[in-house]
Amino acid sequence: MQFIETRGNDGERPAKVTFSEAILNPSASYGGLYVPESLPDMSIGFLSEYLQSDYKTLAFALLQAFEIDIDEALIHEALERYDRFDDPNNPVPVVAVEEDAYVSELYHGPTRAFKDMALQPFGVILSALAKARAEEYLIMAATSGDTGPATLETFKNRPNIKVTCLYPAGGTSDVQRLQMVTEDAPNLKVIGIEGNFDDAQSALKELLASGEFRKALKKKGIKLSAANSVNFGRIIFQIIYHIHSYLELVRQDVIALGEEVYLIVPSGNFGNALGAYYAKKAGLPVRKILIASNANNILTEWIETGVYDIRDRQLVQTESPAMDILKSSNVERVLFDKFGPERTKELMDALNDEGIYRLTDEESKAIREDFAGVYSTDEEGEAVIARYAKKGYLMDPHTATCFKAYETLREENLPSIIYSTAEWTKFSPTVARALGIEADGDKEALEAVSKALNVPIPRVISELFDKKIVHDTVVKREEIMKEMLDFLG
Ligand SMILES: *Cc1c(COP(=O)(O)O)cnc(C)c1O
């Protein structure tokens, strides 16, 4: 299968590329993104064929159906990364929390957040491709929390890839910071920057736009790739677990094959939701995808009104920081799928130039055929955490935003799959506050919640507090380029 561009072709780049090309060099013409030319058929025939398969078998079949230009042996090697999850036979458990609400737990990987679902296998493939071409790639991440640890974890000691990770010093949780600064490998560099996440992100953008920096990279023979969800190599692995979760409900006798469900996705950059959309389009019986947001409710507004307007918006810091986003990158892939490249370019240009675009009524209706959206405040999220903890189910603040969608957006009482994107242990101070437990800092909060509710803390989290800090660099924004170039040698 070939990959095409969301904003059309500029006449300089190839109009179609292979999967390998799309993931090594993910920036398409006019600042657009790569998308598959078509989707494989994963409706009833496919679903019944893989109904009894384990996760890796299903994943392999799906990647085969996309006809990607990756050797079978390499795909198998990449999928073996799921063997490092809590239960290698079932890396994504789906558990009932209500009669018709099932939580699909996407956080059982090494960094305890859903980013592992895609980044773990993706890292193996990207590194092998770079090595086969004898090329060196640099991945530059700016993180507010979960992407950084997952990116470092998948690429550590991998050949032909170097990773730099910028985080706001003082702007992440202790657990998230420790997951980064204790990651010890010669191909990784973690840099704290004085400021908030916006500062880290704009420092990264500045660097990417800098001619001096690009020239220096070229001289060193280093190319740039990306590991965020603009890279289709992330998205393809985020289609699998939607299908798996559906089949799990069939296996658990909740539904018969073919019956419709709702998928409820806590969203930021819309990568998880896009995976759900592709699964639905490929034939998974999904009534609608319900998009949960926090106080940064740009997606709710977009789905309800068809207007994407960031002109007067300031990013609000919430207790679900991985969803604190205004420009949600993967919405573009939905626009392309529904309205084609010319219209997508027009809309994205308007957003970049004027900070706003408006869909027509008809276009807006087409979005609502697949999506509905609602947002929760931090207080509403904390109340959900407390309510379900009492019933014996502990969740993190991102997952908690889904329950308002579950309660208010369903038009029918169909079974619903709620995606849990992080383990509570990554956000223990918020969870402790929600439960009325007093604790100062992550370590105390972890121990207090664990004791009060008798839930375990996984070793990868508890051990962080005794690990050696390898990366202690914290610099001002102006010093980042020098710091990076020193690291690249
Ligand atoms: C990244 C992340 C999200 C948002 O996912 P998108 O694919 O960017 O929409 C939600 N929750 C957690 C915990 C995350 O790490």
Side-chain angles (χ1 to χ4, degrees), residues 36 78 92 120 184 199 213 218 231 288 308 344 400 423 443:
V92 182
Q120 280 290 312
D184 192 6
D199 296 317
F213 184 67
K218 207 163 180 192
N231 197 316
K288 250 184 204 177
Y308 203 108
T344 302
E423 188 174 56
K443 193 162 192 275

Side-chain angles (χ1 to χ4, degrees), residues 113-115 146 238 266-272 322-323 396 398 421-422:
F114 107 100
K115 301 292 188 289
D146 287 340
Q238 293 178 188
S267 296
N269 258 328
F270 220 68
N272 196 352
M323 295 154 65
D396 97 296
H398 299 79
T421 47

Side-chain angles (χ1 to χ4, degrees), residues 82 114-123 233-235 237-238:
Y82 293 122
F114 107 100
K115 301 292 188 289
D116 288 330
M117 291 307 306
L119 275 166
Q120 280 290 312
F122 170 78
R234 283 269 304 271
I235 303 297
F237 290 105
Q238 293 178 188

Side-chain angles (χ1 to χ4, degrees), residues 33-165:
L33 308 173
Y34 284 107
V35 284
E37 211 171 11
S38 60
L39 288 173
D41 178 2
M42 293 183 288
S43 53
I44 297 296
F46 180 93
L47 296 175
S48 53
E49 190 174 345
Y50 293 97
L51 177 58
Q52 297 304 338
S53 302
D54 63 18
Y55 195 88
K56 283 190 294 182
T57 307
L58 173 70
F60 187 79
L62 184 139
L63 296 174
Q64 289 284 73
F66 268 90
E67 296 174 24
I68 56 177
D69 62 329
I70 305 292
D71 286 346
E72 288 192 9
L74 180 55
I75 296 181
H76 283 302
E77 189 191 330
L79 296 177
E80 272 163 26
R81 284 292 181 124
Y82 293 122
D83 292 346
R84 302 171 178 211
F85 282 49
D86 291 338
D87 179 358
N89 294 317
N90 186 15
V92 182
V94 178
V95 299
V97 294
E98 296 286 346
E99 202 176 311
D100 56 1
Y102 295 81
V103 178
S104 173
E105 297 178 346
L106 303 175
Y107 58 73
H108 288 276
T111 72
R112 316 313 284 172
F114 107 100
K115 301 292 188 289
D116 288 330
M117 291 307 306
L119 275 166
Q120 280 290 312
F122 170 78
V124 174
I125 291 180
L126 196 76
S127 168
L129 292 179
K131 191 172 174 212
R133 295 178 178 211
E135 293 174 340
E136 287 287 331
Y137 282 84
L138 172 64
I139 305 272
M140 295 203 290
T143 186
S144 63
D146 287 340
T147 307
T151 307
L152 296 166
E153 179 65 28
T154 191
F155 286 115
K156 73 175 170 193
N157 296 315
R158 289 258 145 204
N160 298 65
I161 305 279
K162 287 194 166 72
V163 179
T164 61
C165 183

Side-chain angles (χ1 to χ4, degrees), residues 6-7 335 340-354 356-358 360 363:
T6 50
R7 301 187 197 177
L335 296 178
E342 283 91 35
R343 181 64 173 150
T344 302
K345 180 166 187 302
E346 191 175 85
L347 295 168
M348 296 312 294
D349 285 349
L351 185 62
N352 286 331
D353 299 344
E354 291 141 43
I356 179 171
Y357 69 70
R358 287 190 179 83
T360 65
E363 287 170 338

Side-chain angles (χ1 to χ4, degrees), residues 132-347:
R133 295 178 178 211
E135 293 174 340
E136 287 287 331
Y137 282 84
L138 172 64
I139 305 272
M140 295 203 290
T143 186
S144 63
D146 287 340
T147 307
T151 307
L152 296 166
E153 179 65 28
T154 191
F155 286 115
K156 73 175 170 193
N157 296 315
R158 289 258 145 204
N160 298 65
I161 305 279
K162 287 194 166 72
V163 179
T164 61
C165 183
L166 291 181
Y167 71 94
T172 66
S173 74
D174 291 347
V175 165
Q176 290 172 324
R177 181 179 48 83
L178 288 171
Q179 282 183 319
M180 293 187 273
V181 298
T182 60
E183 201 63 283
D184 192 6
N187 65 330
L188 308 179
K189 175 80 179 171
V190 180
I191 306 171
I193 130 161
E194 291 177 13
N196 57 27
F197 176 54
D198 267 349
D199 296 317
Q201 209 163 24
S202 39
L204 181 64
K205 280 194 185 140
E206 247 168 56
L207 211 55
L208 288 168
S210 147
E212 189 189 347
F213 184 67
R214 292 204 159 245
K215 237 186 257 161
L217 287 187
K218 207 163 180 192
K219 217 167 132 201
K220 293 175 196 291
I222 296 175
K223 298 181 168 211
L224 280 175
S225 186
N228 53 10
S229 57
V230 305
N231 197 316
F232 194 82
R234 283 269 304 271
I235 303 297
I236 198 166
F237 290 105
Q238 293 178 188
I239 302 171
I240 303 162
Y241 54 72
H242 295 293
I243 297 175
H244 159 84
S245 303
Y246 179 90
L247 293 178
E248 219 11 78
L249 290 197
V250 179
R251 289 191 286 263
Q252 294 180 16
D253 281 333
V254 176
I255 50 171
L257 198 63
E259 283 178 14
E260 286 189 330
V261 298
Y262 286 105
L263 304 181
I264 310 183
V265 186
S267 296
N269 258 328
F270 220 68
N272 196 352
L274 180 76
Y277 175 74
Y278 283 151
K280 179 176 193 286
K281 226 195 144 195
L284 194 70
V286 173
R287 173 64 59 87
K288 250 184 204 177
I289 300 158
L290 310 183
I291 302 298
S293 300
N294 61 29
N296 297 288
N297 58 356
I298 192 94
L299 291 168
T300 308
E301 188 175 287
W302 172 66
I303 294 167
E304 278 178 358
T305 66
V307 181
Y308 203 108
D309 183 0
I310 55 174
R311 288 172 307 178
D312 293 319
R313 277 187 181 257
Q314 291 287 327
L315 200 73
V316 187
Q317 285 201 356
T318 72
E319 290 176 349
S320 44
M323 295 154 65
D324 290 349
I325 273 166
L326 292 180
K327 270 195 185 177
S328 178
S329 355
N330 280 297
V331 166
E332 176 168 356
R333 286 184 162 119
V334 176
L335 296 178
F336 171 84
D337 192 71
K338 290 196 176 280
F339 315 128
E342 283 91 35
R343 181 64 173 150
T344 302
K345 180 166 187 302
E346 191 175 85
L347 295 168

